[in-house]
């Protein structure tokens, strides 16, 4: 099995799906000759030609809007927003049309498409390049909202997203893009949308995270085990919407203590929804107030201070101590 | 009900005054004093050297990603040189020359590019906007400012910069349409540098020129040699005068070229030919203007050497200044500033939590 970065793994997913299915198209700004600014679509134009790998004019609205038309026509567009921070130019298309086409046409037309975009802080980027606004999409009925955390599961998830009958917003954590390599099998692998996964078993505490922050959460779990003998269960949420609450509410019943970690802003953020579900479904099993470690409710600062904005291992450890001490 | 033609009398003018060899079309030369010409030169040279300095600082890891201006100095200086202090300038993200000209010190730009929001603070008396990273997103703002000017019956003018790629965005079209309908005093300066990252101008639009897009909105449009500071100056002067006297908006297309990478994380060899760059290096706006000034007797070799030295010293001083200022920017709690006029209670709580958390960490580290 080759060891791939997340960028290479995503490229593999696109390449194999395009080979298998001539309905699959790739479009966006700089996705062709340049191979995408992060190189996720590198070489696809050589393999599949300009007809299926389209360097579009610089206009997010029409990229998403045209993808909807293609999808309704029977194609399987995978469009790229160069950065999630620019996807708002297309928000009207996403909210007003993509998410609603099935409903508006009462099933006559559907928009099976994937809107890929890099998101998140930690790579010293410019303003508007570091946000984590998955909640905008998670809050929109009709969309699925997925965030991989590693090369292998990114590949499997993208394949599943392309084949999914609904529109999928696919956030790619920039911080993980080239952070490490992982074995990714050549043969087909999928991962069901709407499912979470347990990455580490434990009985003392449940840590819930996803995307780039999952890796800091795992590090915190390892330290809890080494330094305190505390065994934390770590859950990778994977799909933000629809939320797999079964997995984490069951884990909560086992451990009774919960810390949720994400880089999105705290207020009205994903952790809030997770807490609500925990209270609805596992309230009587909780032994301590649920803790959340999140980005602050400030505009993501320029990169000199982005590490201060992001949850850190010490912040996660401190929250874990709170949960354990109550 | 026959099919018939609707006559449209339209064409697009192209203006060039100083050619690649530094020779001048006397008849078109705008009225400019020697002092003004030398100011243009200083502005262009300062921007060129500062841009090189930023690239060095970036490569050394002192600052982050930025978009170099090299090759586009004439398009920026020629345009902003027409603005008065009370006028407004709305840059995109490559307007290093224009921003310096308007009075922002190089040290502030260094601090900004080192990732501190403080560097983007606009001095009270300066009426510029902070740089806009989302492509074309500043154009609607320019229209709004211009509308305000018109409403308040002021004599001010708004000038906004953007690239060829920006002309594909809805914001561009909406802004030009709105500006035209309301006849606001806005000057739209497109720096057609031929590339929007890897996408060539020909793949951005089927239009023969970008200037002709003005026709659809019913406003004047002109194309100029954007590497000719005099042509850019003359065309912008007409547009600014028209705007100031109530004549409404203008679209100016400056034909120029980005001589280096799109940003410091971009590799242009992936999508463009070295030969193309060579052609444009011969059209470099700076040597051509220097040659003209020398031949006119306004500038000697020695003057250039002295100026180079002076600029180098200035930039050294700015870099030390920036370093000194950045030493004072270490407090992570600064990120809670300027989010709301008044920090709401829940955010105050988060700030206090973080402050205590940092203190506790420091104590633990010292223990
Ligand atoms: C709305 C939006 N989409 C995508 C980007 C990413 N991006 C940054 S610059 C750029 C190309 C801009 O080209 P152009 O307008 O010609 O200006 P230039 O960079 O050539 O100065 C792109 C696609 C962005 N900043 N904003």
């Amino acid at each position: 099995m080759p060891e791939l970065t997340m960028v290479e793994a995503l490229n593999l997913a696109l390449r194999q799906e395009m080979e298998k299915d001539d309905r699959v198209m790739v479009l966006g700004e700089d996705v062709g000759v340049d191979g995408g600014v992060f190189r996720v679509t590198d070489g696809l134009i050589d393999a599949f030609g300009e007809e299926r790998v389209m360097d579009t004019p610089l206009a997010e609205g029409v990229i998403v809007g045209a993808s909807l038309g293609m999808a309704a026509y029977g194609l399987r567009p995978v469009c790229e927003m160069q950065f999630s921070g620019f996807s708002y130019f297309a928000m009207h298309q996403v909210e007003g049309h993509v998410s609603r086409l099935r409903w508006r046409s009462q099933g006559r037309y559907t928009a099976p498409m994937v809107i890929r975009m890099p998101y998140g802080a930690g790579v010293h980027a410019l303003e508007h390049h570091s946000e984590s606004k998955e909640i905008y999409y998670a809050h929109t009925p009709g969309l699925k909202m997925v965030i991989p955390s590693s090369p292998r599961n990114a590949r499997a998830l993208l394949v599943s997203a392309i084949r999914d009958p609904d529109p999928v917003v696919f956030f790619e954590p920039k911080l993980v893009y080239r952070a490490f390599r992982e074995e990714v099998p050549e043969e087909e692998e999928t991962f069901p949308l709407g499912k979470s996964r347990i990455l580490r078993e434990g009985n003392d505490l449940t840590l819930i995270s996803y995307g780039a922050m999952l890796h800091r959460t795992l590090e915190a779990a390892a330290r809890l085990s080494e330094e305190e003998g505390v065994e934390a269960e770590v859950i990778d949420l994977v799909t933000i919407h629809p939320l797999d609450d079964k997995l984490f509410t069951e884990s909560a019943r086992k451990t009774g203590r919960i810390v949720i970690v994400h880089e999105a802003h705290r207020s009205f953020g994903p952790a809030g929804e997770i807490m609500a579900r925990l209270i609805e479904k596992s309230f009587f099993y909780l032994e301590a107030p649920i803790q959340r470690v999140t980005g602050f409710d400030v505009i993501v600062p320029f990169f000199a201070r982005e590490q201060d904005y992001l949850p850190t291992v010490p912040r996660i450890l401190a929250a874990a101590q709170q949960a354990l001490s109550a | 009900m026959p099919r018939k033609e609707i006559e449209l009398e339209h064409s697009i003018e192209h203006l060039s005054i100083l050619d690649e060899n530094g020779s001048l079309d006397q008849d078109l030369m705008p009225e400019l004093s020697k002092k003004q010409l030398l100011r243009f030169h200083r502005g262009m040279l300062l921007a060129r050297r500062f841009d090189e300095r930023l690239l060095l600082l970036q490569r050394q890891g002192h600052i982050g990603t930025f978009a170099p201006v090299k090759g586009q100095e004439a398009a920026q200086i020629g345009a902003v040189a027409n603005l008065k202090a009370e006028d407004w300038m709305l840059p995109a993200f490559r307007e290093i020359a224009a921003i310096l000209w308007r009075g922002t010190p190089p040290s502030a730009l260094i601090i900004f590019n080192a990732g501190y929001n403080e560097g983007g603070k606009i001095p009270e008396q300066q009426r510029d906007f902070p740089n806009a990273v989302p492509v074309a997103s500043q154009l609607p703002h320019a229209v709004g400012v211009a509308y305000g000017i018109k409403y308040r019956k002021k004599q001010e003018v708004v000038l906004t910069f953007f690239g060829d790629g920006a002309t594909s965005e809805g914001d561009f079209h909406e802004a030009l349409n709105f500006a035209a309908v309301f006849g606001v005093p806005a000057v739209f300066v497109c720096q057609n540098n031929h590339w929007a990252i890897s996408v060539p101008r020909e793949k951005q639009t089927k239009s023969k020129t970008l200037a002709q897009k003005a026709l659809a909105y019913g406003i004047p449009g002109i194309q100029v040699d954007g590497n000719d500071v005099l042509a850019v100056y003359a065309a912008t002067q007409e547009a600014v005068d028209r705007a100031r006297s109530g004549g409404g908006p203008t679209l100016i297309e400056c034909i120029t070229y980005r001589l280096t990478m799109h940003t410091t994380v971009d590799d242009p060899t992936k999508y463009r030919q070295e030969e193309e760059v060579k052609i444009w290096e011969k059209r470099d706006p700076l040597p051509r203007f220097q040659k003209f000034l020398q031949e006119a007797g306004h500038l000697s070799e020695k003057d250039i050497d002295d100026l180079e030295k002076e600029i180098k010293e200035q930039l050294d001083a700015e870099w030390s200044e920036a370093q000194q200022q950045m030493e004072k920017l270490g407090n992570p709690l600064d990120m809670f500033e300027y989010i709301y006029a008044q920090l709401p209670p829940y955010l105050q709580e988060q700030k206090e939590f973080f402050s205590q958390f940092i203190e506790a960490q420091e104590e633990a580290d010292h223990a």
Side-chain angles (χ1 to χ4, degrees):
Chain A
M1 279 198 268
E3 295 237 320
L4 303 183
T5 62
M6 184 181 279
V7 166
E8 292 159 352
L10 290 165
N11 185 275
L12 179 69
L14 289 169
R15 194 177 286 274
Q16 291 186 332
E17 284 307 285
M18 291 181 82
E19 273 162 9
K20 238 181 240 140
D21 183 350
D22 73 354
R23 296 175 304 170
V24 180
M25 323 274 289
V26 166
L27 64 156
E29 294 157 10
D30 300 288
V31 298
V33 179
D34 210 23
V37 294
F38 288 102
R39 304 288 177 256
V40 171
T41 54
D42 211 15
L44 296 181
I45 194 167
D46 304 320
F48 303 102
E50 288 181 24
E51 226 182 2
R52 290 180 66 196
V53 182
M54 300 161 62
D55 269 326
T56 65
L58 207 174
E60 290 72 15
V62 72
I63 293 169
V64 169
S67 295
L68 176 144
M70 290 178 184
Y73 194 75
L75 302 177
R76 290 288 177 272
V78 182
C79 64
E80 176 178 299
M81 300 283 101
Q82 203 156 69
F83 289 91
S84 62
F86 306 126
S87 65
Y88 315 128
F89 282 63
M91 194 54 129
H92 157 62
Q93 290 292 337
V94 176
E95 203 286 332
H97 296 286
V98 172
S99 72
R100 295 162 179 261
L101 187 63
R102 182 187 295 278
W103 176 76
R104 287 177 63 234
S105 68
Q106 295 294 292
R108 173 69 178 81
Y109 300 113
T110 60
M113 55 191 272
V114 182
I115 311 176
R116 294 181 35 239
M117 54 188 104
Y119 87 98
V123 299
H124 270 210
L126 300 173
E127 194 184 356
H128 309 286
H129 289 70
S130 303
E131 280 61 25
S132 189
K133 308 269 192 184
E134 54 273 28
I135 207 71
Y136 289 171
Y137 300 104
H139 195 66
T140 305
L143 299 179
K144 292 180 181 170
M145 167 75 241
V146 174
I147 308 187
S149 57
S150 79
R152 183 166 179 173
N153 107 305
R155 190 281 197 109
L157 277 165
L158 185 53
V159 170
S160 296
I162 292 170
R163 297 180 189 176
D164 200 272
D166 286 313
V168 179
V169 175
F170 195 90
F171 266 30
E172 298 167 8
K174 289 194 280 297
L175 192 54
V176 182
Y177 260 160
R178 294 177 189 282
F180 61 93
R181 292 180 173 276
E182 189 180 32
E183 289 196 346
V184 178
E186 280 281 351
E187 55 277 13
E188 176 173 312
E189 218 175 36
T190 57
F191 190 92
L193 305 191
K195 285 273 175 269
S196 299
R197 54 181 191 155
I198 294 177
L199 289 186
R200 187 185 171 113
E201 309 243 358
N203 289 315
D204 300 333
L205 175 73
T206 302
L207 304 177
I208 304 171
S209 189
Y210 57 90
M213 291 305 106
L214 180 73
H215 300 282
R216 296 177 178 202
T217 305
L218 285 166
E219 197 185 321
R223 279 183 51 183
L224 282 171
S225 171
E226 280 158 32
E227 292 164 19
E228 330 246 341
V230 169
E231 292 310 324
E233 185 140 294
V234 178
I235 292 178
D236 179 3
L237 216 51
V238 187
T239 300
I240 310 305
H241 182 75
L243 207 50
D244 180 9
D245 55 27
K246 194 157 176 289
L247 199 70
F248 64 71
T249 50
E250 275 170 9
S251 180
R253 286 167 187 234
K254 186 168 68 176
T255 67
R257 300 172 194 277
I258 311 283
V259 178
I260 308 161
V261 184
H262 63 59
E263 62 176 288
H265 306 299
R266 164 170 301 217
S267 292
F268 312 100
E273 179 61 28
I274 295 166
M275 290 165 94
R277 306 266 183 121
L278 283 163
I279 288 167
E280 284 164 358
K281 302 195 173 177
S282 306
F283 182 75
F284 294 109
Y285 298 84
L286 297 178
E287 289 174 51
I290 302 166
Q291 302 293 317
R292 42 181 171 165
V293 185
T294 66
F296 297 106
D297 290 329
V298 302
I299 291 163
V300 182
F302 287 4
F303 64 81
R305 301 192 180 103
E306 67 183 340
Q307 290 302 336
D308 296 317
Y309 169 84
L310 287 174
T312 54
V313 174
R315 270 176 66 197
I316 301 169
L317 287 173
Q321 294 307 345
Q322 283 282 330
L324 289 164
S325 66
Chain B
M1 273 178 276
R3 282 189 175 198
K4 60 179 184 185
E5 300 278 315
I6 296 172
E7 295 282 326
L8 296 175
E9 283 173 33
H10 282 314
S11 63
I12 284 295
E13 201 184 349
H14 178 100
L15 178 67
S16 130
I17 299 178
L18 181 67
D19 75 10
E20 299 175 38
N21 308 314
S23 38
L24 184 77
D25 186 329
Q26 281 293 353
D27 295 342
L28 293 174
M29 177 70 188
E31 246 180 70
L32 285 162
S33 66
K34 175 180 166 185
K35 198 171 148 207
Q36 280 172 302
L37 291 169
L38 290 179
R39 264 196 83 204
F40 290 5
H41 175 248
R42 191 183 193 286
M44 286 169 65
L45 192 66
L46 174 68
R48 176 69 56 99
R49 298 296 172 246
F50 182 53
D51 192 59
E52 290 165 356
R53 180 68 66 101
L54 285 179
L55 190 57
L56 195 71
L57 291 174
Q58 196 278 335
R59 294 308 191 221
Q60 292 169 342
H62 292 296
I63 66 166
T65 309
F66 78 101
V69 69
K70 188 175 177 183
Q72 300 180 217
E73 297 90 345
Q76 296 184 12
I77 300 289
V80 277
N82 283 286
L83 297 185
K84 299 182 181 170
E86 68 268 24
D87 292 331
W88 302 72
M89 197 272 290
L90 282 73
F93 45 80
R94 200 184 294 287
E95 275 60 72
I96 292 171
I99 290 169
L100 292 182
W101 178 276
R102 290 287 286 172
T104 297
S107 57
L109 268 177
I110 294 173
I111 293 167
F112 180 84
N113 285 305
Y116 292 100
N117 309 40
E118 284 82 349
K121 193 167 176 120
I122 310 288
E124 200 66 53
Q125 70 287 358
Q126 200 175 318
R127 295 181 140 178
D128 301 344
F129 268 43
N131 83 339
V133 174
V135 169
S137 61
Q138 73 280 17
L139 273 59
H141 313 161
V143 174
V145 173
Y147 187 83
I149 293 169
K150 191 170 172 177
Y151 183 68
R152 291 291 178 212
K153 301 188 172 50
K154 301 279 188 193
Q155 291 295 301
E156 300 147 23
V157 168
V158 183
L159 187 148
T160 184
F161 286 107
F162 50 97
D164 38 303
T167 65
S168 299
E169 288 282 5
D171 274 356
F172 167 84
H173 298 281
E174 293 174 29
L176 260 73
N177 190 46
F178 194 106
V181 167
F182 291 100
V184 301
V187 180
F188 297 92
V189 181
C190 177
Q191 295 171 78
N192 171 2
N193 66 6
H194 287 81
W195 291 91
I197 311 188
S198 71
V199 178
R201 143 76 179 82
E202 298 72 46
K203 293 201 87 177
Q204 207 61 244
T205 169
K206 270 288 189 189
S207 299
K208 194 162 181 178
T209 67
L210 298 178
Q212 79 196 57
K213 291 182 187 286
L215 302 179
Y217 303 106
I219 62 171
I222 183 170
Q223 189 184 66
V224 303
D225 178 347
N227 283 6
D228 168 2
V229 69
L230 301 175
V232 178
Y233 179 81
T236 312
Q237 188 179 41
E238 269 179 32
V240 165
D241 288 351
R242 179 161 43 236
R244 220 185 284 287
S245 59
T250 304
L251 172 63
I252 301 174
E253 176 189 6
C254 298
I255 304 287
T256 181
Y257 196 77
R258 150 165 69 81
L259 283 173
T260 175
M261 66 287 277
H262 168 70
T263 67
T264 46
V265 288
D266 170 55
D267 172 14
T269 61
K270 192 130 195 250
Y271 51 81
R272 76 179 183 189
Q273 302 295 323
E274 197 47 36
E275 295 89 77
E276 182 183 290
V277 182
K278 291 248 160 60
I279 293 169
W280 282 95
E281 274 168 354
K282 295 202 190 84
R283 300 178 189 162
D284 189 330
L286 188 58
R288 128 173 24 174
F289 191 51
Q290 287 181 328
K291 189 149 180 260
F292 157 74
L293 291 174
Q294 283 176 303
E295 278 168 12
H298 293 329
L299 192 71
S300 69
E301 283 289 345
K302 177 161 183 318
D303 292 338
I304 297 180
D305 288 347
D306 290 349
L307 189 57
E308 290 275 16
K309 231 179 106 210
E310 181 206 315
I311 286 175
K312 186 181 175 308
E313 278 162 17
Q314 183 192 347
L315 293 180
D316 289 343
E318 295 283 346
W319 170 226
S320 333
E321 171 67 25
Q323 281 175 301
Q324 274 176 28
Q325 287 194 33
M326 283 192 284
E327 272 169 30
K328 293 179 224 143
L329 296 174
N331 186 355
L333 296 177
D334 288 344
M335 75 171 142
F336 288 89
E337 296 302 318
Y338 299 112
I339 305 295
Y340 294 102
Q342 257 195 331
L343 212 56
Y346 69 92
L347 207 46
Q348 185 64 42
E349 252 172 50
Q350 290 183 16
K351 187 175 173 181
E352 274 159 24
F353 153 80
F354 196 37
S355 166
Q356 282 164 15
F357 179 81
I358 294 167
E359 262 173 47
Q361 285 290 120
E362 275 168 4
E363 268 170 37
D365 287 349
H366 287 252

